[in-house]
Amino acid sequence: GSGRSTTPSSVAQIVIEAAGTDGQGQIVDGPARQPDADRPAWPMDLAAELLGWAPWTSLEHGVRQTVEWFRRTQAADAG
């Protein structure tokens, strides 16, 4: 919901960095699927107008929060 286009490989890179794997994974770009390849970013101005909604966190921050939550959950389940 940032209003900017984000490629799958850039999301994968954000996840790798947030997880602290030091690039141990390999990101391989495949061919773009239709209609995803030509889809623009979601119209955030329309969401703001119709729903009064706006994103309040960045993708990077949200991924970091998700990784932290996952680690806490896994630790609680293991212990």
Side-chain angles (χ1 to χ4, degrees):
S2 68
R4 68 174 198 233
S5 252
T6 308
T7 64
S9 61
S10 65
V11 172
Q13 187 61 45
I14 291 167
V15 171
I16 287 171
E17 290 170 8
T21 60
D22 297 326
Q24 293 172 355
Q26 181 180 8
I27 300 170
V28 178
D29 286 321
R33 299 178 310 164
Q34 294 295 329
D36 294 344
D38 298 324
R39 186 186 75 200
W42 293 105
M44 293 292 92
D45 54 340
L46 185 60
E49 179 184 330
L50 295 176
L51 306 172
W53 180 87
W56 57 272
T57 191
S58 68
L59 174 63
E60 294 82 0
H61 182 73
V63 168
R64 282 193 308 272
Q65 287 181 315
T66 302
V67 167
E68 290 169 12
W69 171 85
F70 182 79
R71 286 183 174 149
R72 283 192 313 271
T73 301
Q74 291 299 306
D77 288 348

